[in-house]
Amino acid sequence: MQYSIDFGSRKIVYTLLYSNRKTLGITVSPNMEIIVKAPENSCVELIATKVRKRASWIIKQQNFFLTFHPKPNDKKYVSGESHFYLGKQYRIEVVEGKKNEVSYKGRFIQITTKNKSNVEKLLTDWYKTKAKEKFEEIARPLIDRFKKYGVEPSGIYIQTMKTRWGSCTPKGKIILNPELIKTPKGCIEYVIIHELCHLVHHNHNQKFFDLQSKECPLWERWKKKLEQFG
């Protein structure tokens, strides 16, 4: 069942599950869903009080995961519009031609197409191609570095995700959102390192953050930078 509490101007909505346990546990999932597990026969009002006491931590966790949620795309894909590639801003130039291709020259990304209705798809496909190429290149030395912890991902995969910049599966697959190719190299490294840390520590506990800080000392800077992109 779902319940909610007010905390300042925020409404915290959580799913309450009863189980055979002795203490109350609160988790925040990557999609920012709040799960509260409580001992059977626990008082709903007492649970709400405990959730309110943890409200600051809950919001902090949600804000952290929000970093990995790309912003909605409201682009129109017309000449003169700004787009990003590896953190640099380019203007797209749509040109009618006999073939479909995308290239970048100077401060422009030129899209040649027979049909202007294909511009968005052509640019999206180009980003995916570049993402596959660049992510492998950026990830390789990071993967080699993490071998000292006895871990290695089974592969780097590209997958469009509406709510995540990256993820790591239980079988060790690191999945990266192709939208990440629009961000600076430091942001890409941060997301890859974040997922590599999950191969060592599966949860966001203190050991996880200690390892992330060790392998990416400027991660907070790149986290803030990532929040600017979508």
Side-chain angles (χ1 to χ4, degrees):
M1 295 182 64
Q2 283 199 331
Y3 295 86
S4 67
I5 62 165
D6 293 321
F7 185 74
S9 60
R10 295 278 293 264
K11 181 178 287 291
I12 296 177
V13 179
Y14 58 93
T15 299
L16 176 59
L17 303 174
Y18 289 102
S19 63
N20 184 21
R21 55 185 294 147
K22 295 181 178 180
T23 59
L24 181 138
I26 302 174
T27 58
V28 181
S29 68
N31 64 2
M32 298 191 293
E33 182 182 8
I34 304 162
I35 305 294
V36 177
K37 294 182 179 180
E40 295 175 348
N41 302 319
S42 295
C43 173
V44 172
E45 290 76 14
L46 181 59
I47 292 171
T49 298
K50 291 185 176 181
V51 171
R52 186 171 286 104
K53 288 181 179 179
R54 299 293 304 280
S56 295
W57 176 84
I58 290 170
I59 292 171
K60 183 179 178 180
Q61 288 295 103
Q62 287 182 320
N63 289 340
F64 173 79
F65 286 125
L66 189 61
T67 305
F68 293 85
H69 287 217
K71 297 173 185 176
N73 187 357
D74 59 356
K75 297 292 187 180
K76 299 183 183 300
Y77 300 91
V78 295
S79 290
E81 187 175 60
S82 294
H83 288 255
F84 285 87
Y85 174 62
L86 290 176
K88 294 182 180 180
Q89 192 171 22
Y90 295 85
R91 293 193 180 278
I92 63 171
E93 183 178 33
V94 181
V95 179
E96 289 189 16
K98 295 182 179 180
K99 56 183 178 179
N100 294 319
E101 65 178 5
V102 180
S103 60
Y104 66 103
K105 302 173 182 178
R107 303 302 295 178
F108 288 88
I109 296 176
Q110 188 178 84
I111 304 169
T112 304
T113 179
K114 303 174 185 178
N115 186 341
K116 289 187 177 181
S117 65
N118 291 333
V119 171
E120 180 178 356
K121 183 179 185 306
L122 288 171
L123 185 58
T124 299
D125 289 346
W126 180 80
Y127 274 131
K128 287 180 179 178
T129 299
K130 288 294 182 182
K132 184 175 178 61
E133 172 190 323
K134 290 293 183 181
F135 292 171
E136 289 282 354
E137 178 185 313
I138 294 170
R140 182 45 52 196
L142 301 176
I143 291 171
D144 289 341
R145 206 163 84 199
F146 267 74
K147 288 180 181 178
K148 64 190 173 188
Y149 300 112
V151 297
E152 184 175 1
S154 58
I156 301 290
Y157 298 86
I158 307 299
Q159 181 180 314
T160 300
M161 296 177 281
K162 291 183 178 180
T163 61
R164 300 292 304 276
W165 285 115
S167 67
C168 182
T169 71
K171 293 185 178 180
K173 289 183 179 180
I174 289 181
I175 302 171
L176 301 175
N177 192 326
E179 288 289 303
L180 194 59
I181 195 63
K182 299 177 182 179
T183 71
K185 181 182 177 182
C187 291
I188 299 171
E189 290 177 330
Y190 158 56
V191 174
I192 293 172
I193 289 172
H194 180 95
E195 302 308 336
L196 286 169
C197 287
H198 275 308
L199 295 178
V200 184
H201 303 292
H202 302 302
N203 300 316
H204 290 105
N205 53 28
Q206 190 58 49
K207 289 183 178 179
F208 171 90
F209 286 108
D210 288 345
L211 180 59
Q212 180 172 263
S213 296
K214 178 181 178 181
E215 294 297 335
C216 187
L218 300 178
W219 72 267
E220 289 181 286
R221 175 196 294 181
W222 294 118
K223 174 180 176 291
K224 289 179 182 178
K225 192 74 174 176
L226 191 61
E227 291 169 356
Q228 301 172 12
F229 286 84

